[in-house]
Amino acid sequence: MIKNTPPMGWNSWNTFGADINEQLIKDTADKMAESGLLTAGYTYLVIDDCWSKKERDENGRLVADPEKFPNGMKAVADYVHSKGLKFGMYSCAGNLTCAGYPGSFEHEFIDAETFASWGVDFVKVDDIAHTGVAESGGYAAAHDIEMIRRAIDRCGRPIVLSLSPGPAPVEKAWHLRQNANMWRITNDFWDDWALLKNMFTRCEIWQSHVGPGCWPDCDMLPLGRIGVKFGQPRQTRFTHAEQKTLLTLWSVFRSPLILGAELLSLDEATLRLLTNRDVLRLNRHSFGARQIARDDAQAVWVSQDEDGSHYAALFNLSEETREVSLDLRELEGEAFDCRELWTGETLAARQSLSCRIEPHGAKLFLCHTR
C-alpha cells in the first residue's frame, strides 16, 4: 500500500495509556469529525496498547478485552468508519507488548487476518528491536519485519504499516522503505525542549529518505492536554513558541502528524495550530526539504511546493530573541514576496530574508518570485 502523503490522525497512548474503552473511542471519533480535524486531514484514529485480553483464544486469535470493548472491535471499527475516519490498532513484533499483552511474534498472519476482518486500516507495530540487536545495531531482524509485511499484504485489506519504536538506523532506510509506510526515527518524544532541539539533528539525518510511501516518523505530537495515563493530566509543557517550532519542523520535514492530546477538551488555540491549512499543505504537498544551516542557536530549512513556490522555515534555538536570516539564492532567486504562514504577515525580500524570532520560536514563509 502506497501512502502518497504523510499519514495524519490520533493515537490514544500519550493521554490514556491503558485506560481506554469503547465509549472513549466513540467520543473521540465524534470529536475528530465535528471539530474540523477530519476535514483538515487527520484521518486515522488509532488505539494503542492494552486493548486485548492477556491470552489468545483457543484458535490462537487476539481477543478484545470484553470489559473495555463489550461489543468487540468490529463494532468499534464500524463506528469509526461511520464518521468518515479510518481505524487503527496496535500490535507488537515480540511475544509480548510493552504492557504485557500478546504480541504478534509467530502469529503475524493470523493477526493480520484478524485485523482485516475487523476493518482495520492502520497497524502500529511496536518493539521492532526485539531481536537481532547485536547483529543489526538496534534494528529488528529483517526477517521479522518482512513477515509482518507479507502478512499484511496477504490479509485482503489495504493497511498502513507503522513501525515503532525508534530510533530506526538510517543505514536500514532501504529496508524500511521496502516494508513499511512509516517508521519511528526517535525514542519516545515528549514535551521537553531538549528533545525537540535534538530533532533537528535526527531530521537532517533522514531528510533524503522522505517521499511517497516512505515517511520517517518524528513520533506523536505531545500538544494540548496529555499525561492522563500518569495520573497527572496537564497541558503540554511546550510554550506557544515551541509548539509552532514543533509543528513547523514536523511539517517541513513531512513527518506523519499523529496527535496525542485528549481531544474531548482540546483548546481552541491548539486546534488552530493543528488545522492551519497553509502549514498542512507544506506537510502534504511539498518536496525537496533540506536543512541548509544549523548550529546551537539557529536552524534554517527550505523546500518547494508542487506549484513552484518555495518555503523557508527559520528557527531560533537559543534562549534570547535573535535575528535569523536566509540567503535567497538558496531559493533559486533574489527577490520574493513572502507570507508568514502562522501570522499572515507579508513582506518583500531581496537577496536576504531576515526576521527577529523569539526564543525557541519559528517563522515559516511561503515565497513567490517577484
Side-chain angles (χ1 to χ4, degrees):
M1 180 182 184
I2 300 297
K3 287 295 294 180
N4 289 321
T5 58
M8 296 170 59
W10 176 85
N11 179 288
S12 62
W13 186 255
N14 279 8
T15 297
F16 298 107
D19 298 327
I20 51 177
N21 59 68
E22 184 172 322
Q23 191 58 53
L24 170 66
I25 298 305
K26 289 182 175 180
D27 291 344
T28 300
D30 292 342
K31 187 68 173 182
M32 291 179 72
E34 297 165 1
S35 65
L37 287 169
L38 174 58
T39 301
Y42 295 91
T43 303
Y44 292 95
L45 186 159
V46 183
I47 298 175
D48 211 279
D49 201 356
C50 309
W51 59 267
S52 74
K53 295 180 67 174
K54 287 293 184 71
E55 298 84 23
R56 293 173 178 270
D57 69 13
E58 63 275 12
N59 297 312
R61 293 186 179 275
L62 294 169
V63 180
D65 185 329
E67 294 187 3
K68 295 179 178 180
F69 300 96
N71 294 301
M73 282 302 177
K74 179 65 165 63
V76 176
D78 287 347
Y79 188 87
V80 170
H81 291 150
S82 75
K83 297 296 177 177
L85 297 159
K86 295 184 181 297
F87 183 55
M89 296 191 69
Y90 171 98
S91 183
C92 178
N95 289 303
L96 294 174
T97 73
C98 295
Y101 293 80
S104 290
F105 183 62
E106 296 185 338
H107 292 83
E108 293 89 352
F109 288 88
I110 194 170
D111 286 355
E113 291 172 3
T114 300
F115 291 145
S117 72
W118 289 343
V120 171
D121 307 294
F122 179 113
V123 175
K124 172 185 173 181
V125 177
D126 209 343
D127 199 21
I128 62 169
H130 82 284
T131 61
V133 175
E135 295 82 4
S136 55
Y139 181 68
H143 171 75
D144 300 323
I145 292 176
E146 291 164 8
M147 285 287 287
I148 294 167
R149 177 76 268 165
R150 286 199 293 270
I152 289 176
D153 288 344
R154 295 179 187 178
C155 75
R157 183 177 180 85
I159 295 177
V160 169
L161 174 57
S162 169
L163 295 181
S164 176
V170 72
E171 62 269 18
K172 300 296 184 179
W174 64 273
H175 189 259
L176 291 160
R177 290 173 66 95
Q178 287 180 342
N179 291 285
N181 302 105
M182 52 187 280
W183 55 87
R184 284 266 297 276
I185 63 171
T186 177
N187 297 308
D188 288 348
F189 181 82
W190 285 97
D191 47 339
D192 178 88
W193 171 248
L195 296 179
L196 177 51
K197 191 173 182 180
N198 184 55
M199 287 304 298
F200 285 85
T201 298
R202 293 185 185 267
C203 289
E204 182 178 24
I205 291 170
W206 281 94
Q207 64 188 8
S208 63
H209 299 284
V210 178
C214 308
W215 305 112
D217 179 16
C218 295
D219 201 12
M220 292 176 283
L221 306 175
L223 304 179
R225 185 172 181 265
I226 57 175
V228 174
K229 77 187 186 79
F230 299 112
Q232 298 178 334
R234 66 176 190 276
Q235 282 295 118
T236 180
R237 296 189 183 102
F238 284 135
T239 66
H240 186 70
E242 290 166 351
Q243 292 176 55
K244 289 198 295 184
T245 290
L246 184 158
L247 288 169
T248 300
L249 178 60
W250 264 238
S251 294
V252 71
F253 176 71
R254 302 195 72 191
S255 171
L257 299 179
I258 308 297
L259 311 179
E262 181 189 13
L263 298 186
L264 305 184
S265 62
L266 188 66
D267 61 284
E268 286 299 320
T270 303
L271 181 62
R272 284 195 298 272
L273 290 177
L274 294 172
T275 56
N276 183 306
R277 291 183 178 182
D278 293 323
V279 176
L280 293 179
R281 179 175 176 85
L282 164 64
N283 178 263
R284 301 179 75 76
H285 298 291
S286 61
F287 64 93
R290 55 196 174 95
Q291 184 167 255
I292 62 171
R294 166 76 199 284
D295 57 33
D296 196 55
Q298 63 182 15
V300 178
W301 283 71
V302 297
S303 68
Q304 192 168 350
D305 192 276
E306 293 171 350
D307 67 7
S309 57
H310 295 266
Y311 293 98
L314 282 58
F315 301 90
N316 178 6
L317 307 181
S318 74
E319 304 302 318
E320 58 186 28
T321 300
R322 63 182 294 119
E323 186 163 302
V324 181
S325 300
L326 165 68
D327 186 331
L328 290 176
R329 286 176 294 184
E330 295 286 355
L331 305 185
E332 302 176 356
E334 293 187 354
F336 291 87
D337 290 320
C338 301
R339 178 167 60 92
E340 209 284 316
L341 299 184
W342 291 115
T343 64
E345 64 180 308
T346 60
L347 57 87
R350 181 177 292 276
Q351 296 184 330
S352 176
L353 173 62
S354 299
C355 56
R356 290 182 63 77
I357 303 176
E358 62 188 312
H360 300 185
K363 295 282 190 179
L364 175 59
F365 293 93
L366 176 63
C367 301
H368 296 274
T369 303
R370 298 184 66 186

